Amino acid sequence: MYEWDENKNNLNDAKHGLRFEVAVEVFSDSNAIVQFNRDVNGEIRDQIIGKIEDEIVILFVVFTKRAQKIRLISARKASNDERAMYENQTRTD
């Protein structure tokens, strides 16, 4: 269901301290915010802001859909603005 480039995963881990194996947990968050973002060289890239199960960490993940799989592009901890957007949305639901 999920896939990624392993070199990109290692670079993401070095830069953001976050591996894609962990980041995929945001897709299980029923309160996650999905934003349909932009076209990059003919490929639609979307964003999801969500919480990792059993943790307080809120993540920002860029992904695309290829065939029947979700391909992770990047993942990091959410910025303060992204965290506020997530927290405000979960308060109103």
Side-chain angles (χ1 to χ4, degrees):
M1 181 170 191
Y2 302 102
E3 66 179 16
W4 50 79
D5 178 285
E6 196 54 40
N7 289 329
K8 183 76 171 171
N9 190 16
N10 291 332
L11 289 170
N12 198 83
D13 187 27
K15 184 175 182 178
H16 300 292
L18 182 63
R19 297 199 58 80
F20 292 159
E21 294 90 341
V22 174
V24 297
E25 292 181 29
V26 300
F27 292 95
S28 298
D29 181 357
S30 61
N31 293 312
I33 301 169
V34 177
Q35 300 174 328
F36 302 101
N37 194 19
R38 60 189 174 129
D39 184 311
V40 177
N41 298 323
E43 180 176 73
I44 302 298
R45 295 199 176 170
D46 301 323
Q47 303 167 344
I48 185 170
I49 301 170
K51 190 181 289 188
I52 295 178
E53 191 172 336
D54 298 329
E55 293 195 31
I56 300 172
V57 179
I58 297 172
L59 301 181
F60 176 89
V61 178
V62 177
F63 67 98
T64 191
K65 294 180 183 171
R66 291 189 182 167
Q68 299 296 325
K69 295 184 179 179
I70 294 173
R71 183 172 183 85
L72 275 68
I73 308 295
S74 66
R76 60 173 170 73
K77 288 183 181 177
S79 69
N80 289 339
D81 288 343
E82 293 158 350
R83 174 183 276 283
M85 181 189 328
Y86 177 85
E87 290 171 345
N88 289 335
Q89 177 245 301
T90 56
R91 283 190 200 117
T92 60
D93 286 350

